[in-house]
Amino acid sequence: RFRPGMASVELNERERQVLAAVIRSYVETAEPAGSRTVSRRFGLGVSPATIRNTMSDLEEKGFLFHPHTSAGRIPTDKAYRVCVNELMLVTPLDRSERQHLQKEIGQGTATLESILRRAALCLGVLTQELGVALGPRLEETVLTRLELVRLSSERLMLVLSLRGGAMRTIFIEVRGEIGDDALAEVQTVLNERLRGLTLSAIRGSLGVRLRDAGTSTDTAELLNIFLQEGEQLFEAPSPSEGDAVVLGQASVLADQPEFASGEQMRRLIELTDTRTELAQLLRSRKQSGGVQISIGTEHGESLPGGLTVVTAEYTAGSLSGVIGVIGPTRMPYEKIIALVSHTSALVTELLDG
């Protein structure tokens, strides 16, 4: 479960073994670990007195601290960072776990939002942490299909279908009735010349792409509306940053002892209610590659203290976002990293499929 060798500059082999044992004990029990507990549970081959002395050394180096109400010690953020970087050994999910994720996330509506929601919920249930996902910025969304629908003699509806399942509808006012043939021709021209492009690319090149496209007065008139109003018609939806965040159930954290006091839970609920700071934090984690882990004070002021964020990037064509979990720093990192890594790969596969 923990990686042998790779000694930290600050830690000798015995200190590594004792620190790994204290972390494991605290993650599993949420109780400060004493030397006798470590000796009895992990059989390190040395006496409780030796373990106690080693724990004192680890406390002096900043890896453990000593709650005044307990004779045991608990890991610091620095200890969890060493655990993640040097001590931990991540093993891939077994077949039944992979099948469970595929079943829970893969079934149902195949839109981007629904896949992210199922993934965040599923991750939360499996890890007992708060599942979280960040939707992509739609500025780089690719147009997959365009449809023009007549609502009345002077009003049309433009329906943009975007990669990943998103859809946008825009109303267009026209002067006088446009014939059915012209409507069909413009729809065909727009699909042929714009499909497969991002919304930003369409806005930047609409005039060139629609040059000499009209073959009749009605067609030219309707295409001229697209040329004049293209900036608005193909503008990406711009929800607030917080609207792009998809959360699992915060209630799964309620049973964690870290939230028993109420103050920490109040701050977490406040964060999930506003979501803007959370979106900014998650947005900064994109395009980093692999699984990203930030622990406790490493977040700065972005999150309440005592929390860890574990995320991985997913992609959908040219779009990307992140998915992962937020929970107390006391978490089984190797298991959660494996779950987040596999889930991000599965979301990418479902969105690209």
Side-chain angles (χ1 to χ4, degrees), residues 5-173:
M6 288 189 63
S8 166
V9 173
E10 293 189 71
L11 300 177
N12 60 41
E13 188 58 31
R14 179 175 293 162
E15 288 170 337
R16 286 164 47 80
Q17 290 176 347
V18 171
L19 182 61
V22 172
I23 291 172
R24 181 173 174 182
S25 177
Y26 186 62
V27 166
E28 291 176 354
T29 68
E31 296 289 338
S35 56
R36 291 189 179 278
T37 299
V38 171
S39 176
R40 184 174 64 251
R41 286 196 62 197
F42 300 100
L44 301 180
V46 294
S47 68
T50 299
I51 292 174
R52 186 162 53 251
N53 290 336
T54 303
M55 290 170 72
S56 294
D57 293 340
L58 288 166
E59 185 172 3
E60 287 182 12
K61 293 181 177 183
F63 292 98
L64 300 177
F65 74 94
H66 202 158
H68 62 84
T69 56
S70 169
R73 290 174 175 83
I74 65 180
T76 62
D77 293 349
K78 183 178 180 181
Y80 289 124
R81 174 50 63 193
V82 168
C83 173
V84 167
N85 289 357
E86 301 181 23
L87 305 180
M88 183 182 66
L89 186 63
V90 177
T91 55
L93 301 184
D94 62 33
R95 183 179 178 184
S96 64
E97 292 170 320
R98 295 195 304 271
Q99 288 176 335
H100 178 74
L101 282 166
Q102 176 72 46
K103 179 183 176 184
E104 292 298 317
I105 301 173
Q107 65 182 4
T109 311
T111 63
L112 172 64
E113 185 180 13
S114 60
I115 289 172
L116 292 182
R117 182 172 290 111
R118 291 195 298 269
L121 285 169
C122 188
L123 268 180
V125 170
L126 291 176
T127 63
Q128 289 301 291
E129 316 290 355
L130 176 64
V132 61
L134 179 72
R137 289 187 188 277
L138 293 182
E139 178 65 24
E140 296 307 314
T141 307
V142 171
L143 177 68
T144 58
R145 177 174 167 74
L146 178 153
E147 188 175 0
L148 283 169
V149 179
R150 188 192 310 280
L151 300 177
S152 69
S153 61
E154 297 184 344
R155 201 175 199 210
L156 306 175
M157 182 171 67
L158 172 65
V159 182
L160 304 179
S161 298
L162 308 173
R163 182 174 294 166
M167 187 171 288
R168 189 172 184 223
T169 57
I170 308 101
F171 298 106
I172 301 174
E173 304 296 330

Side-chain angles (χ1 to χ4, degrees), residues 178-190:
I178 302 290
D180 289 343
D181 290 345
L183 200 64
E185 183 181 348
V186 169
Q187 178 174 304
T188 300
V189 167
L190 292 173

